Amino acid sequence: MLLSYKIELIPSPDNNLICSRKQSSANNRPILGQLKCSLISSSTESNPSLLTNAGQVSIEKIRKRLFNGKIEISPSAYDTAWVAMVPDTGGSRPCFPQCLDWIIENQKADGSWGLQYPGPGHPSLVKDSLACTLACLLALRKWDVAHQLVQKGLDFIGSNCWALSNDKNQYSPIGFEMVFPQMISCGYDLGLTLPLDSNLVDSMLRERDSIIMRNGKLGYVAEGLGESCNWKKLLMAEQRSNGSLFNSPATTAAALIHCPDQKCLEYLHSLLKIYNTWVPTIYPMDIYTRLCIVDNMERLGIDRYFQYELDSILDETHRLWQQREDQIFEDISCRAMAFRLLRMNGYNVLSDELAAFVDQEHFFSSVSAQFTGVTTILELYKASQLQMHEDEAVLEKIHSWTGKYLKQQLLNQTILDKRLQKQVEGDLKNFRGTSNIIEKKLWIELYDVNHFQILKTAYRCPTIYNEDILEFSRKDFSICQAQYQKELQLLERWYSDCKMDGMTFGRNILHVSYFLSALIVTDPQLSDARFCYTKSLVLFTRIDDYMDHYSSMDEARDFVELIRNWRKQPSATHRSHDIEILFTALYNTVNEWADIASAQQGRCVKSLLIEEWLECLTYMMKEKEASSDNKALTVDEYLSFAWEIVGCKTCTYMVIHFLGIKFSQEMLTSVECVNLLKHVSMVARIQNDIRTLKREEEEEGKINSVSLQAAECGGANPVEEAIAKLRQRIEYHRRKVVQLIVQTKENLVPKEYKNLLWRTGEAGYYIYSDLDGFASQQNVINDMKAFIYDPLNLP
């Protein structure tokens, strides 16, 4: 029942590299979607690997670059040019001559200014280069310097003005339609002879005027308004506590040109104290950058090496959240990401802080232009997935419109950034509130050290995207993959030794079981946990197949008695050879792991494990009897025990002993633990029933929550109505899971077990989801092959 279709075996390659690592303690805060064990160095028993001395050097290099230094961001020629145009108090000289010097020293060979990009430049950044170049020409012309550079810049504009009218594959800087025509007008006023077609210029000016007429939220690109802007009013309404307008050096400089303001001046001086001769396109962005580091490291799977630093970032972010820090609350992307990461990591943050974004029409008509892009909408969508309470209508409404909007962008093919497009596709597939459990490899392959983002100009942030992180992630993935391959070889030997490869019934799901176990227990150090999970899952599925499809009522009862008696040589006279194989495999495996677990836990756990298997088999028997007798169960009666036989409880009871923690009987029987197990299992149970309805009802005559719910619904379309009602149940249990995972007060359940259950729930969704056909037999086969065997597809 746990897996509802057959998976073909994939031969494992011969790879003997194995890596084990020393585990250090982590803090007690539960973290969704990650098994956060901090692994520092390779154990002396492992083969030479990334995490020996060289690996430690790499870790320290990343730690110093990311956590002990200032934020790395690329210079903005566009913003630097605007700052260079600010006059001193006398008006005859530049207030910031160092910016003018930077412009003179940083013209590219083709006559342009803009983002430094490897090779001849990015082919989709021509419009951006035109804007940067024209801004720099205005600065040079205003102060009447570098005439040769001006001519080279004009030649570049003349050669590339095609991008102004043929921009299908061009990234358009925010506000380009406003700012560029305004700069053209300024250029004419300064006597520049711009090589632009007059009809094109007239068309651009008309479009600018039209935008001004219909859009009242143009403060972020106010330099495109020129004299028509009420700068004093804008400063009164929008000036930040740091003196800037929108944290934009260009807008702040434009305000200073038109309306002298001491706070604006101090803001620009503060930037040049940091960057000396240039300014970035946004400042500050420390909080957003730090949150991106947390997010990226989790996606790349290397967060366990930097857990102390990442926890410190989250602690500080929560402190600033409580203080309503401008950097968080004036930046929608930052606010949404902070909400998501803080809530996922157990901090108390209220969804009411996102209430301003519940309506799509109001959102696009009221927020500033820099927050209307796909990146911001995607952050809101991901934040909206973390609904914990039934009364969080704010998140429900955001989830509804952002999901539809993003799907429409994919359908219309309007996302030029292919990396962002793949990210949107992946995040739309994910279960609400989960990370994509198989995205690590894809994320490494998509990680681009030259990745840029677009605001009013293109910029890079090497603190987030750099070669040190990329190289470390690649090596870590290769080591983990080699570990997984070695473990699977050992499991193939176990499977053969148990003689299960010769059984005549049931599904051979060894490989897919290991695949799921590796997705759930990702840490290479936790080999025992993966072995135990895989063996438990294989045995559970084999027994489930037997009880469902290959046993008579008497044979099923006899098998339950075998478990109840728990003898190595049972005396049943009518047992088949296959049943003897199956029971012997279960008997030996449970006894073996119980002995290992007892040594680690310091107490005997064998009776606990045997009782759990017996309880599970008893409920399987109950389901079989109900199906055979056509007993009239209600959907509530069925689900009251059916969640016990989806496998989550049985498998995780086996595995919890091997997570590096000790637990008590009190914990396992606590209301908190039982409820968490029930809610995780219920989500998987109902998803499984929805997916397997046709096979189980029509081909096998089994009871199923969908058919039982449909019988209660009646009506013209009872199955559709039943599925809708059951999906409401899924949503209810999903919210309960999130609540129990992130709560930190009065916890009896250790975070390691919470994270194990969370990942188990993710795996269940991945296998059972039938939404838009994202999970299919071929998809699982392909994902398994990519995760365990295929090398990274590197550029």
Side-chain angles (χ1 to χ4, degrees):
M1 185 178 298
L2 194 65
L3 295 173
S4 55
Y5 42 78
K6 295 181 180 179
I7 303 293
E8 297 298 324
L9 292 179
I10 298 175
S12 61
D14 183 15
N15 194 325
N16 294 318
L17 177 60
I18 184 168
C19 166
S20 64
R21 294 182 246 179
K22 187 189 302 179
Q23 180 176 335
S24 71
S25 62
N27 64 28
N28 292 323
R29 185 166 56 249
I31 303 173
L32 299 187
Q34 299 291 331
L35 283 169
K36 301 265 182 168
C37 299
S38 178
L39 306 181
I40 302 303
S41 63
S42 175
S43 106
T44 56
E45 297 178 357
S46 67
N47 293 331
S49 68
L50 165 67
L51 299 176
T52 53
N53 292 336
Q56 189 64 43
V57 169
S58 297
I59 290 172
E60 291 304 320
K61 184 178 180 182
I62 293 171
R63 184 173 285 132
K64 182 177 181 180
R65 181 172 188 175
L66 268 59
F67 306 111
N68 298 327
K70 70 180 182 180
I71 300 298
E72 297 178 64
I73 188 172
S74 59
S76 167
Y78 173 80
D79 290 82
T80 301
W82 277 98
V83 175
M85 284 188 271
V86 176
D88 65 8
T89 53
S92 60
R93 295 182 179 180
C95 184
F96 301 100
Q98 64 269 49
C99 291
L100 195 62
D101 293 339
W102 184 91
I103 293 171
I104 293 171
E105 294 168 4
N106 284 275
Q107 188 179 43
K108 297 181 183 180
D110 62 0
S112 71
W113 284 267
L115 182 68
Q116 294 292 337
Y117 200 86
H122 197 288
S124 295
L125 288 177
V126 178
K127 284 181 71 174
D128 180 62
S129 294
L130 288 171
C132 292
T133 300
L134 183 50
C136 289
L137 294 182
L138 294 181
L140 296 176
R141 183 66 174 179
K142 179 172 183 175
W143 305 115
D144 196 24
V145 296
H147 300 143
Q148 288 185 333
L149 302 187
V150 171
Q151 187 55 52
K152 286 182 65 178
L154 291 172
D155 291 343
F156 173 82
I157 291 175
S159 300
N160 293 275
C161 60
W162 55 266
L164 298 173
S165 55
N166 181 19
D167 62 354
K168 180 179 179 181
N169 296 313
Q170 288 294 311
Y171 291 104
S172 187
I174 294 173
F176 183 88
E177 295 79 4
M178 285 282 301
V179 175
F180 196 78
Q182 174 62 24
M183 291 195 297
I184 291 175
S185 296
C186 291
Y188 289 156
D189 292 342
L190 290 170
L192 278 176
T193 304
L194 296 171
L196 298 173
D197 179 78
S198 59
N199 292 328
L200 174 62
V201 172
D202 289 341
S203 174
M204 295 179 71
L205 288 170
R206 286 195 299 270
E207 183 179 2
R208 170 184 170 273
D209 293 340
S210 175
I211 293 172
I212 294 174
M213 289 291 293
R214 66 176 186 265
N215 194 332
K217 299 292 293 185
L218 297 172
Y220 177 65
V221 291
E223 62 266 37
L225 295 172
E227 296 289 348
S228 64
C229 177
N230 187 332
W231 290 98
K232 287 186 177 180
K233 183 178 180 181
L234 183 65
L235 282 168
M236 289 181 63
E238 302 291 354
Q239 191 168 41
R240 304 279 174 87
S241 58
N242 61 17
S244 75
L245 286 173
F246 308 98
N247 289 338
S248 167
T251 310
T252 307
L256 199 53
I257 291 170
H258 291 92
C259 178
D261 181 87
Q262 185 61 31
K263 291 181 70 177
C264 287
L265 187 63
E266 290 172 358
Y267 169 75
L268 296 179
H269 274 298
S270 71
L271 264 65
L272 289 164
K273 283 183 180 179
I274 299 171
Y275 300 105
N276 298 319
T277 60
W278 54 271
V279 296
T281 194
I282 179 173
Y283 181 87
M285 59 176 296
D286 300 56
I287 297 175
Y288 178 75
T289 301
R290 303 297 185 201
L291 291 173
C292 286
I293 291 171
V294 175
D295 199 37
N296 261 1
M297 285 193 163
E298 289 183 355
R299 287 179 179 265
L300 293 167
I302 60 172
D303 52 307
R304 61 191 183 276
Y305 302 104
F306 307 97
Q307 202 55 59
Y308 175 80
E309 290 81 6
L310 301 184
D311 287 341
S312 297
I313 289 173
L314 293 174
D315 285 340
E316 177 66 7
T317 302
H318 185 240
R319 185 183 68 82
L320 295 171
W321 177 281
Q322 292 176 312
Q323 296 177 358
R324 299 192 61 80
E325 162 65 36
D326 279 358
Q327 278 194 63
I328 297 175
F329 285 91
E330 297 291 344
D331 183 328
I332 299 174
S333 296
C334 188
R335 190 191 311 193
M337 186 185 294
F339 173 84
R340 172 171 59 89
L341 292 176
L342 289 175
R343 177 166 279 196
M344 285 177 68
N345 285 277
Y347 295 90
N348 183 25
V349 287
L350 299 178
S351 59
D352 289 348
E353 299 292 1
L354 302 177
F357 317 125
V358 298
D359 180 76
Q360 179 176 352
E361 183 177 351
H362 179 262
F363 178 85
F364 283 106
S365 65
S366 63
V367 305
S368 187
Q370 73 267 38
F371 302 126
T372 57
V374 169
T375 300
T376 299
I377 308 302
L378 181 60
E379 281 301 335
L380 283 171
Y381 174 80
K382 291 189 290 185
S384 73
Q385 293 178 311
L386 288 175
Q387 184 181 355
M388 288 172 50
H389 311 291
E390 293 183 41
D391 58 352
E392 288 191 306
V394 166
L395 298 183
E396 279 296 326
K397 292 176 181 178
I398 293 175
H399 189 268
S400 177
W401 79 258
T402 55
K404 293 174 183 176
Y405 178 86
L406 292 170
K407 289 176 183 177
Q408 192 62 48
Q409 300 307 301
L410 292 177
L411 185 64
N412 295 341
Q413 299 181 338
T414 57
I415 304 175
L416 284 180
D417 185 344
K418 299 306 178 185
R419 177 185 172 279
L420 179 58
Q421 178 182 318
K422 288 182 178 294
Q423 184 181 348
V424 171
E425 291 170 348
D427 286 328
L428 285 176
K429 295 176 185 178
N430 291 346
F431 181 40
R432 293 182 136 213
T434 72
S435 62
N436 186 342
I437 58 176
I438 57 171
E439 75 175 357
K440 175 181 174 180
K441 183 171 185 283
L442 174 64
W443 199 253
I444 295 173
E445 292 171 345
L446 291 177
Y447 189 93
D448 181 8
V449 297
N450 295 313
H451 173 70
F452 60 84
Q453 293 179 270
I454 298 284
L455 289 174
K456 283 189 283 192
T457 186
Y459 74 96
R460 286 204 306 270
C461 185
T463 300
I464 304 173
Y465 297 97
N466 61 73
E467 62 282 355
D468 296 331
I469 290 178
L470 178 59
E471 184 63 22
F472 187 82
S473 300
R474 289 173 174 177
K475 289 181 179 179
D476 179 69
F477 178 84
S478 297
I479 288 172
C480 292
Q481 196 175 57
Q483 172 83 353
Y484 298 153
Q485 292 168 9
K486 180 66 174 180
E487 289 174 1
L488 189 50
Q489 289 177 348
L490 297 174
L491 283 163
E492 288 169 343
R493 186 183 308 164
W494 164 80
Y495 195 76
S496 176
D497 290 345
C498 290
K499 301 180 180 179
M500 283 190 284
D501 54 348
M503 292 176 65
T504 59
F505 67 80
R507 290 164 289 174
N508 183 350
I509 62 157
L510 173 66
H511 290 74
V512 76
S513 293
Y514 179 75
F515 171 50
L516 294 176
S517 300
L519 294 177
I520 294 167
V521 185
T522 58
D523 194 327
Q525 172 70 14
L526 300 178
S527 292
D528 280 352
R530 270 188 304 281
F531 282 133
C532 187
Y533 209 124
T534 304
K535 293 179 180 182
S536 301
L537 191 50
V538 168
L539 290 166
F540 178 91
T541 307
R542 282 290 198 176
I543 292 170
D544 185 55
D545 283 349
Y546 173 70
M547 297 292 286
D548 277 351
H549 316 307
Y550 302 102
S551 64
S552 66
M553 196 64 66
D554 288 339
E555 288 171 333
R557 291 192 183 101
D558 286 343
F559 193 79
V560 174
E561 286 304 308
L562 290 178
I563 307 301
R564 192 185 310 279
N565 294 328
W566 203 253
R567 295 172 184 163
K568 186 173 184 180
Q569 298 294 336
S571 58
T573 58
H574 56 277
R575 285 185 293 108
S576 70
H577 180 62
D578 283 337
I579 299 309
E580 185 174 348
I581 290 174
L582 188 56
F583 174 75
T584 301
L586 177 65
Y587 179 88
N588 290 337
T589 301
V590 170
N591 285 344
E592 176 189 2
W593 285 106
D595 290 342
I596 298 172
S598 296
Q600 294 191 14
Q601 294 295 321
R603 61 186 178 87
C604 181
V605 300
K606 182 179 293 186
S607 60
L608 169 72
L609 300 182
I610 296 172
E611 287 170 8
E612 171 53 33
W613 280 98
L614 177 59
E615 183 178 32
C616 181
L617 266 290
T618 302
Y619 282 121
M620 286 183 183
M621 191 69 229
K622 184 174 181 178
E623 181 190 45
K624 187 177 185 70
E625 290 171 344
S627 297
S628 176
D629 298 341
N630 292 317
K631 185 177 180 180
L633 292 177
T634 66
V635 66
D636 289 328
E637 289 171 339
Y638 167 72
L639 290 175
S640 69
F641 68 85
W643 70 269
E644 298 261 12
I645 51 177
V646 77
C648 297
K649 183 182 176 186
T650 305
C651 292
T652 60
Y653 263 33
M654 293 282 289
V655 176
I656 188 176
H657 307 89
F658 307 104
L659 299 179
I661 58 170
K662 290 188 176 182
F663 68 94
S664 65
Q665 189 74 18
E666 179 189 14
M667 185 279 289
L668 283 178
T669 58
S670 67
V671 173
E672 180 190 1
C673 185
V674 172
N675 283 341
L676 183 53
L677 275 165
K678 182 176 181 179
H679 292 305
V680 170
S681 300
M682 199 69 82
V683 171
R685 171 76 276 156
I686 299 173
Q687 286 174 326
N688 173 271
D689 285 357
I690 291 173
R691 183 176 179 85
T692 62
L693 171 65
K694 184 175 181 180
R695 177 174 63 84
E696 292 193 345
E697 187 180 44
E698 296 181 4
E699 298 177 15
E700 301 165 11
K702 284 187 60 180
I703 58 173
N704 179 295
S705 61
V706 181
S707 58
L708 294 173
Q709 185 74 66
E712 294 180 14
C713 290
N717 298 298
V719 174
E720 292 180 10
E721 185 178 344
I723 290 175
K725 286 181 177 293
L726 288 170
R727 284 185 172 148
Q728 290 176 359
R729 288 184 183 243
I730 290 175
E731 181 61 17
Y732 166 79
H733 291 292
R734 181 203 65 82
R735 288 196 302 266
K736 292 297 183 181
V737 171
V738 176
Q739 280 183 35
L740 291 167
I741 291 288
V742 303
Q743 75 175 21
T744 56
K745 294 182 179 179
E746 300 179 358
N747 271 344
L748 281 176
V749 181
K751 74 175 184 64
E752 290 85 355
Y753 191 40
K754 285 187 173 184
N755 289 329
L756 179 72
L757 288 172
W758 177 262
R759 278 295 185 94
T760 297
E762 285 186 307
Y765 180 82
Y766 166 68
I767 289 295
Y768 298 140
S769 174
D770 63 342
L771 303 177
D772 301 323
F774 287 139
S776 69
Q777 176 176 341
Q778 192 57 48
N779 281 350
V780 174
I781 293 173
N782 293 341
D783 289 342
M784 175 169 55
K785 184 173 180 290
F787 189 83
I788 297 177
Y789 297 123
D790 290 350
L792 289 166
N793 182 19
L794 303 177

